[in-house]
Amino acid sequence: MSDLELRALRKSFGSADIIRGVDLAVPAGERHAVIGPNGAGKSTLFNLISGAFPPTSGEVMLGGERISGRPPYEINRRGLSRSFQVTNIFHNMSVYENLRCAVLWSLGYRYTLWRSAAALKDAAERSREVLHLIGLDHARETPAGLLSYADQRALEIGVTIAGGARVILLDEPTAGMSRAETDRAVDLIRRVTEGRTLLIVEHDMGVVFGLADRISVLVYGEVIATGTPAEIRGDPRVREAYLGEEAA
Ligand code: ADP
Ligand code: MG
Ligand code: MG
């Protein structure tokens, strides 16, 4: 069964049709990249999936359950978590507190659990685990806003997975990074998405072709091709519409 499925998804803003009938099925455990030119609607697609706003028509299914129309916090608690194109962390909180907050938040409506000693101990342990996973043990008490850009992005990935979501959406996680920073980010993404379902938007074709099991190409709100990296690379329609620019 598909972990994440988009069915005839459409989104218009006023008279602008931005997402124009997208069908996409991502099986559990797949790493799926969405590529396409600027303004194609990639971030809008993520906003529709994560519940930032409802689709004009069509459906988003998570683990066979319809989630479109539900608010973001509910979708998050059903097991889907995302990062943003513009880094979204609490700058005035420490690295550790950012993670702990994400873990506690995932307990959600079981709010009273926050006060149980056992739950707080579990949350602390999980936060330390993620801190270690993202390689920021040394920066535990550093205000997140003082981290380097690459470390802020690593923290954001940590926050995204800290609550235990099984479907992860990452929006341009390596944009603006050096080669070395990109390599580190890819290694982190690979480790934290092991056994999870990943939908990733990326412009760096080295990252996309190295990481993705399958790729969908979005152009002006339509998926013009879905396939393995080899299929996408060899598809003349894709070359013409997009890839020529970035991965020749
Ligand atoms: P991408 O992430 O592929 O670069 P976006 O999804 O950010 O593209 O944007 C696709 C198009 O949708 C752009 O033309 C953008 O201006 C438009 N758009 C995105 N969000 C809104 C919104 N809330 N209201 C109006 N237009 C929007
Ligand atoms: Mg863009
Ligand atoms: Mg975008």
Side-chain angles (χ1 to χ4, degrees):
M1 184 182 62
S2 296
D3 219 359
L4 180 67
E5 193 180 342
L6 313 182
R7 296 180 180 165
L9 204 60
R10 290 181 173 275
K11 183 67 183 179
S12 307
F13 296 106
S15 62
D17 299 329
I18 302 299
I19 299 295
R20 304 188 300 158
V22 167
D23 294 293
L24 184 66
V26 186
E30 179 169 284
R31 294 191 179 103
H32 196 110
V34 176
I35 63 173
N38 250 320
K42 305 180 296 296
S43 293
T44 301
L45 204 58
F46 273 21
N47 287 334
L48 289 171
I49 297 170
S50 62
F53 38 64
T56 302
S57 63
E59 295 182 314
V60 181
M61 312 291 291
L62 179 68
E65 253 189 300
R66 185 190 158 127
I67 55 165
S68 34
R70 295 186 184 280
Y73 62 88
E74 251 192 54
I75 294 173
N76 182 265
R77 280 166 205 160
R78 281 163 193 258
L80 184 143
S81 186
R82 70 169 295 187
S83 73
F84 293 83
Q85 189 168 339
V86 176
T87 317
N88 191 32
I89 50 178
F90 295 114
H91 283 232
N92 295 323
M93 279 169 31
S94 72
V95 168
Y96 177 77
E97 280 299 322
N98 267 274
L99 296 172
R100 189 166 167 278
C101 205
V103 176
L104 288 175
W105 166 247
S106 72
L107 296 174
Y109 61 93
R110 290 167 290 170
Y111 169 74
T112 48
L113 277 180
W114 291 21
R115 299 199 191 117
S116 100
L120 288 176
K121 191 159 162 278
D122 285 352
E125 197 170 307
R126 174 69 184 152
S127 307
R128 279 197 302 272
E129 258 173 44
V130 179
L131 189 66
H132 189 65
L133 202 59
I134 62 178
L136 289 179
D137 303 83
H138 63 283
R140 180 190 159 104
E141 300 302 334
T142 306
L146 295 184
L147 294 175
S148 71
Y149 172 69
D151 282 347
Q152 288 187 2
R153 287 307 247 177
L155 174 58
E156 193 186 31
I157 289 173
V159 164
T160 306
I161 59 116
R166 65 173 200 287
V167 179
I168 305 292
L169 274 47
L170 300 177
D171 197 348
E172 299 200 24
T174 77
M177 286 186 184
S178 70
R179 191 72 254 159
E181 288 168 340
T182 299
D183 290 345
R184 214 188 101 209
V186 169
D187 174 64
L188 175 62
I189 292 166
R190 201 185 293 285
R191 284 186 287 119
V192 301
T193 57
E194 195 60 53
R196 294 188 154 110
T197 305
L198 172 69
L199 199 60
I200 181 173
V201 167
E202 255 299 331
H203 284 286
D204 183 325
M205 290 304 127
V207 172
V208 169
F209 286 104
L211 202 57
D213 300 310
R214 288 196 307 149
I215 299 168
S216 289
V217 186
L218 190 70
V219 179
Y220 296 121
E222 286 180 289
V223 172
I224 63 161
T226 294
T228 63
E231 286 165 352
I232 293 299
R233 212 194 285 271
D235 188 329
R237 286 170 310 156
V238 175
R239 282 199 169 270
E240 191 180 333
Y242 174 60
L243 266 186
E245 291 173 24
E246 309 210 19

